[in-house]
Amino acid sequence: MAETGAEQDGKGQALVARLSRNRWLLGAGVLAVLAVYFFAGVSFYVLVLALVALAAAAMLSKDAGRQPADAGAAIEASGLQRLSGEYLAAAVADPLLIFDHSATIVHANAAAFAAFGGLAPGMSLSLKFRAPEMQALLDGILSGQVAADAVDYTEKLPVERTYRVSASTVGHATGLYVLVFKDQSETRRIDRMRADFIANASHELRTPLASIAGFIETLRGPARNDPAARDQFLQIMQNQTGRMARLIDDLLSLSRLEMKPYLRPGTEVDLRQTIDSVIDSLGPLASENGVVIEREFASGPLVVPGDRDELFQVFENLLENACKYGQSGGRVTVSIAGSEDGQQPGFDVTIRDYGPGIAEEHIPRITERFYRVDVESSRTQKGTGLGLSIVKHILTRHNARLSIKSEVGKGAAFTVHLPAR
């Protein structure tokens, strides 16, 4: 029976191993031959033959060691030859297009179809991507001026997406070229959010600082000897410093939440006890605003996994907003009910006010940092514009979510959906 390739390779490797193990024996044989030559008078030709045999054995060992490496390189080369360009394109997660010297699409991977749609072999890239930067990129590559280039390209429809597009030749003298689209949309969005956050935070801090500086200048000048004006200005300055302190506290809270990794809560929280504590702590604020807080709690145990301090902060923010901005309704209802959200048992905590409500266009953005429905009302109520952002981050850490329902003139309802496990 003929031996397979694997069996032949195994025998070759075994031979190399045996030769390697016998090198010391071969060396010992040479010493023995030399000893016999000197002490027993053996012919010089016998000595030469022994040395030649040893050299041949060493060469055989070296060649046998090289054979597995050469065989591995040959296997790797044959494997790469079997890979087609289509398979390689499919393995790329980013949209990829292969085209020829006339800018006609030869192949598009699945990611390209998902991103751009309507692609087919034979379609002109110049007609598909009409943006000037894409036309310049194609012209530069096809004219041979550059072997590789990259530009930023924005796709407007169906949603705005920003890509870093790289173009290069494929192989040598193949007449084929490749475009790879690296999605930069999320990176750009984060950069824009960071810039907006810095601008908004600077503005929020600059306003009270300018006010305090102006009152200090007035107190040192015209109002130096006016007790009534001095008391009034000092009260305003105290309010402004309190506003800055609240803003800094909220910024620090938001920063701590973002720095924490997502960890599953390791303790259990009694919702009834936690929300009762929140209502008791905000009782003076509710009385000051003429608001009555009503409870509607389900019966039985109301326990969820979570961090009590963080959930306390969530409900405190929501109830405080309801008492401040919904005070015209005269009452706020806090309810807890069981829910089956996506076959997952849990609890819905709803804080509803009966105030002016929120216009529909504001609801998708209301949890953004520094976003305010009514700037003047927010500042009057000593809001920082960060409360709902903090709520959103805490709920994300608890695998929970916030839903908002509102109608102008009929109040607003903020519902926290918490999983029971």
Side-chain angles (χ1 to χ4, degrees), residues 1-2 23 118 140 152 168 184-185 201 222 253 385 394 407-408:
M1 183 179 296
R23 285 177 181 174
D152 291 327
S168 62
Q184 302 289 314
S185 304
S253 296
I394 292 175
E407 187 176 347
V408 176

Side-chain angles (χ1 to χ4, degrees), residues 143-402:
S143 64
Q145 297 177 1
V146 291
D149 201 0
V151 297
D152 291 327
Y153 167 69
T154 300
E155 182 79 5
K156 300 294 185 181
L157 297 174
V159 293
E160 184 172 330
R161 309 290 295 178
T162 302
Y163 296 93
R164 183 66 176 173
V165 186
S166 302
S168 62
T169 58
V170 177
H172 299 284
T174 61
L176 295 177
Y177 308 85
V178 63
L179 284 178
V180 180
F181 296 76
K182 188 70 175 178
D183 195 343
Q184 302 289 314
S185 304
E186 185 65 16
T187 302
R188 297 293 178 88
R189 186 186 68 84
I190 293 173
D191 290 342
R192 188 162 53 247
M193 286 180 58
R194 183 182 297 111
D196 291 344
F197 176 75
I198 293 173
N200 289 328
S202 301
H203 173 74
E204 293 293 332
L205 289 170
R206 186 184 296 114
T207 302
L209 281 174
S211 177
I212 292 172
F215 286 125
I216 291 174
E217 184 178 353
T218 304
L219 287 172
R220 297 180 65 182
R224 180 190 300 270
N225 299 318
D226 187 343
R230 182 172 61 248
D231 292 341
Q232 179 186 0
F233 292 161
L234 288 174
Q235 181 62 48
I236 295 174
M237 292 168 62
Q238 183 178 1
N239 294 338
Q240 294 295 335
T241 54
R243 175 183 168 189
M244 285 193 296
R246 290 191 302 273
L247 177 60
I248 292 172
D249 288 341
D250 283 350
L251 287 172
L252 291 174
S253 296
L254 196 57
S255 177
R256 283 193 295 268
L257 289 170
E258 291 179 339
M259 291 176 63
K260 288 180 180 179
Y262 176 78
L263 298 174
R264 292 188 180 276
T267 58
E268 290 187 340
V269 179
D270 187 329
L271 287 178
R272 190 192 311 275
Q273 181 183 8
T274 302
I275 295 177
D276 278 337
S277 299
V278 171
I279 294 174
D280 292 340
S281 68
L282 293 177
L285 176 65
S287 300
E288 180 183 341
N289 288 278
V291 173
V292 176
I293 301 176
E294 302 173 349
R295 294 174 172 87
E296 295 180 1
F297 296 172
S299 58
L302 304 174
V303 178
V304 296
D307 183 288
R308 186 186 184 280
D309 292 337
E310 291 185 358
L311 290 180
F312 185 97
Q313 189 174 7
V314 166
F315 300 126
E316 184 181 42
N317 274 327
L318 295 177
L319 186 55
E320 183 178 357
N321 286 345
C323 292
K324 288 180 177 179
Y325 303 109
Q327 60 179 322
S328 60
R331 64 191 179 100
V332 172
T333 303
V334 182
S335 62
I336 308 176
S339 69
E340 290 287 340
D341 186 11
Q343 305 300 322
Q344 182 181 18
F347 296 100
D348 291 344
V349 181
T350 301
I351 298 176
R352 175 176 176 75
D353 68 71
Y354 300 87
I358 304 169
E360 185 178 357
E361 63 268 19
H362 294 296
I363 293 177
R365 299 190 58 190
I366 201 170
T367 58
E368 293 180 9
R369 300 171 181 175
F370 297 112
Y371 187 83
R372 292 183 173 94
V373 176
D374 186 338
V375 176
E376 292 302 323
S377 175
S378 175
R379 288 179 177 171
T380 302
Q381 297 295 343
K382 302 179 181 179
T384 63
L386 294 174
L388 291 179
S389 295
I390 293 173
V391 167
K392 182 181 68 174
H393 277 77
I394 292 175
L395 294 182
T396 300
R397 282 173 40 78
H398 284 74
N399 195 27
R401 61 187 179 87
L402 176 69

